[in-house]
Amino acid sequence: MNNQMVAHNWANQTNKGKRGSNFFYDGKSIYSYGYHFEVGRIVETEKGNEIVLLNNASYSVSTNRHQSYARQACNHIESFTLPLNKDARLPFTNYNFVEFFNHYGNIVIESSKKAMRSRKYGDLHLKDAVKAVDDWNKLRSYFPSLCEGIKRLTLPSDIQIKKLNDKDKAERAKERKEKQARIEREENAWLNYEQNYVSGTARCLLRQRMINSNRNGNQSFAPESRLVDEVETSQGARVPLQDAKLFFNAIKRFKDSPKTCLDRFKVGNFRLSNLTPKGANIGCHFIAWSEMERFANQMGWQA
């Protein structure tokens, strides 16, 4: 039995052709791969009419295809897309409808915030918010006893949405500040030989290589560790110190006019890809002028 036909048989409750390829139905519920993922369920409301509850979760490309078949097959029945994560053998409780309320409430809030922020798709986001309000209030009316004590949904006011957007903006700014502070701590620790690792979001840094005499397996350097005549980057590349000096002296005169640098100067086993107003691209590395100048000053090359 092909999977589309399985979905049609389920939606029309023919009790035939129940199993396809990793897609089957059992009574009112239809599943993808196994009973662990319920795609949809036909339920009778307290008003006596039948509706379909469709799972809003996703699992894999093939399960998404199964969900599409189920959605198409039941388009003649009123349906609601929501978190369908309870055992189909158990009756619904008030707790399940609280989850449904939270699901639709989150859609209303997030879509309303996007509608206010968006310049191009504001109307589409607003439609999502309106649909979530309508879906919840209709679902609530179908199950009055199970929804006892759970409120109706309404669209938030512009003032409420602005406050939420302002709060989100402040939280994102705080997160960016905390992230930058963490990166700066990592960079300083690396430059001071306190650790050998920086995150991928950090700048490409330079330091004179130190041979670690610590044999304890950690990243800290022992007091008897010694510096060697090599430069290492925070991305793990190494070049001879003298090569680095010659390379810096060769490119620094192009800082104010990087496009005039046509030579692919060599440094160690690597070559300059190009210079920009912000720095040098060397292989997979981008090293800012400010970092090269900082290191050159530290090594006394700027005299």
Side-chain angles (χ1 to χ4, degrees):
M1 182 69 62
N2 73 66
N3 285 342
Q4 287 176 295
M5 194 62 191
V6 170
H8 286 300
N9 286 337
W10 161 73
N12 292 277
Q13 289 290 283
T14 65
N15 204 33
K16 297 178 181 178
K18 294 184 175 183
R19 187 169 291 274
S21 176
N22 298 315
F23 191 41
F24 66 95
Y25 73 95
D26 185 358
K28 301 285 188 179
S29 294
I30 188 164
Y31 302 90
S32 176
Y33 283 91
Y35 287 99
H36 64 282
F37 193 92
E38 186 179 10
V39 171
R41 188 186 316 173
I42 301 170
V43 299
E44 184 177 337
T45 73
E46 294 176 16
K47 302 294 185 181
N49 60 309
E50 281 192 338
I51 62 172
V52 176
L53 304 182
L54 296 170
N55 200 337
N56 74 317
S58 60
Y59 191 76
S60 66
V61 173
S62 52
T63 291
N64 290 346
R65 191 178 300 116
H66 297 161
Q67 290 175 288
S68 177
Y69 293 156
R71 192 177 299 109
Q72 292 169 4
C74 68
N75 63 13
H76 60 291
I77 311 172
E78 189 172 17
S79 62
F80 300 84
T81 302
L82 37 71
L84 197 58
N85 52 18
K86 70 178 291 296
D87 191 327
R89 296 168 295 182
L90 300 176
F92 282 113
T93 65
N94 176 265
Y95 176 79
N96 300 121
F97 281 85
V98 169
E99 285 188 322
F100 299 159
F101 170 79
N102 291 335
H103 165 71
Y104 285 117
N106 287 335
I107 293 176
V108 172
I109 291 172
E110 294 305 317
S111 296
S112 297
K113 289 193 295 186
K114 290 176 183 177
M116 179 171 281
R117 295 195 306 263
S118 177
R119 296 180 179 179
K120 188 174 181 181
Y121 300 109
D123 289 346
L124 293 177
H125 294 307
L126 186 59
K127 285 181 181 178
D128 290 339
V130 170
K131 185 179 186 306
V133 168
D134 292 343
D135 282 355
W136 166 250
N137 290 335
K138 192 175 291 184
L139 191 64
R140 180 178 178 272
S141 71
Y142 287 153
F143 297 92
S145 63
L146 287 172
C147 292
E148 187 174 353
I150 308 177
K151 298 178 181 179
R152 287 175 57 83
L153 274 177
T154 59
L155 288 175
S157 68
D158 288 347
I159 294 175
Q160 290 173 315
I161 293 302
K162 186 177 184 306
K163 286 182 179 178
L164 290 171
N165 276 330
D166 289 345
K167 181 181 178 182
D168 287 350
K169 185 177 180 180
E171 288 177 351
R172 288 194 297 271
K174 181 182 178 182
E175 288 173 0
R176 286 194 299 270
K177 186 176 180 179
E178 290 174 348
K179 180 180 179 180
Q180 185 58 38
R182 175 182 58 77
I183 290 172
E184 288 177 1
R185 288 194 298 271
E186 281 188 0
E187 290 179 348
N188 289 331
W190 187 85
L191 289 171
N192 293 322
Y193 301 98
E194 295 169 5
Q195 66 181 50
N196 278 331
Y197 170 81
V198 292
S199 64
T201 54
R203 298 171 298 145
C204 184
L205 304 173
L206 304 171
R207 72 181 181 187
Q208 187 174 359
R209 187 185 172 210
M210 179 179 286
I211 294 180
N212 192 359
S213 300
N214 190 340
R215 303 301 182 187
N216 296 325
N218 57 42
Q219 287 193 341
S220 60
F221 287 86
E224 60 272 20
S225 298
R226 60 186 178 85
L227 294 171
V228 296
D229 291 335
E230 283 186 323
V231 179
E232 65 179 344
T233 73
S234 53
Q235 296 176 12
R238 299 171 186 168
V239 298
L241 191 62
Q242 184 62 25
D243 284 16
K245 180 179 180 179
L246 293 173
F247 177 81
F248 176 72
N249 287 331
I251 67 169
K252 68 179 181 180
R253 64 183 185 273
F254 295 104
K255 180 181 178 182
D256 295 330
S257 54
K259 290 184 179 180
T260 63
C261 180
L262 303 179
D263 293 316
R264 296 188 63 198
F265 295 109
K266 190 174 181 182
V267 56
N269 294 321
F270 310 98
R271 285 191 179 276
L272 175 70
S273 299
N274 67 297
L275 292 177
T276 75
K278 294 184 177 180
N281 286 297
I282 309 165
C284 65
H285 288 60
F286 174 78
I287 308 175
W289 286 111
S290 58
E291 177 59 15
M292 289 188 282
E293 290 168 346
R294 180 201 63 79
F295 183 73
N297 282 328
Q298 181 182 350
M299 300 306 297
W301 296 348
Q302 288 279 44

